Amino acid sequence: MKEENNYELDEQTKLQWYKIVFSLKKVFDKKPDMNGLLFLIGIRELGVTREFSKEEKIDLMHVATCKLLSYDGYYEFERTDEDGWPHYKLVKQPPYADLMYQENILKKLIVKYFEESGLID
């Protein structure tokens, strides 16, 4: 049986999702994919804009994923290290699911992130 949280996208979430994608496409002249969105959220969470190494880019996407999954209680903010990087601890294991389910979870949480951050209405 599926878990109680239904991660099908409702019409309002779809509308907000497309609003985010469209507005970022206007800024960057390119439609952002999921990795691009995670990278942007990671940069925002780190609070630093500069050139990043490939390893740092992966770390930024990890920071973003932890931040997003913290909304559903899977991760919890733990601390900021001496270099200013946020660290999260795993609270409970996220459900293993197919890629579409995972993508819909992230889309919902990205919409929530953008709304809570005041980046969209």
Side-chain angles (χ1 to χ4, degrees):
M1 188 163 128
K2 280 262 186 202
E3 98 173 13
E4 198 57 37
N5 289 333
N6 179 7
Y7 280 101
E8 287 299 313
L9 296 179
D10 59 67
E11 290 307 310
Q12 180 63 27
T13 302
K14 284 180 190 175
L15 179 66
Q16 293 294 73
W17 172 256
Y18 289 118
K19 187 187 279 189
I20 292 166
V21 170
F22 180 72
S23 65
L24 289 173
K25 184 177 188 275
K26 283 175 26 181
V27 171
F28 295 106
D29 261 350
K30 181 181 176 186
K31 181 181 170 191
D33 62 9
M34 186 62 71
N35 286 337
L37 283 161
L38 292 174
F39 178 66
L40 289 172
I41 291 169
I43 289 173
R44 195 164 190 283
E45 289 301 300
L46 181 60
V48 175
T49 337
R50 61 173 172 79
E51 289 292 318
F52 294 100
S53 69
K54 185 176 182 173
E55 183 179 316
E56 286 175 323
K57 289 177 182 177
I58 292 168
D59 290 344
L60 285 166
M61 290 190 289
H62 176 72
V63 165
T65 302
C66 291
K67 169 65 178 176
L68 294 172
L69 290 175
S70 73
Y71 289 132
D72 281 353
Y74 295 109
Y75 285 87
E76 185 177 277
F77 178 76
E78 192 171 40
R79 65 183 174 85
T80 302
D81 69 19
E82 59 280 353
D83 296 322
W85 285 77
H87 291 265
Y88 289 81
K89 67 179 179 181
L90 181 66
V91 175
K92 62 181 181 180
Q93 196 66 43
Y96 290 100
D98 62 50
L99 286 177
M100 184 59 76
Y101 183 83
Q102 289 176 17
E103 186 166 308
N104 283 345
I105 289 172
L106 288 175
K107 283 180 179 180
K108 274 189 169 185
L109 296 174
I110 287 169
V111 166
K112 182 174 184 169
Y113 178 87
F114 272 70
E115 287 173 343
E116 287 191 358
S117 301
L119 299 170
I120 60 167
D121 359 291

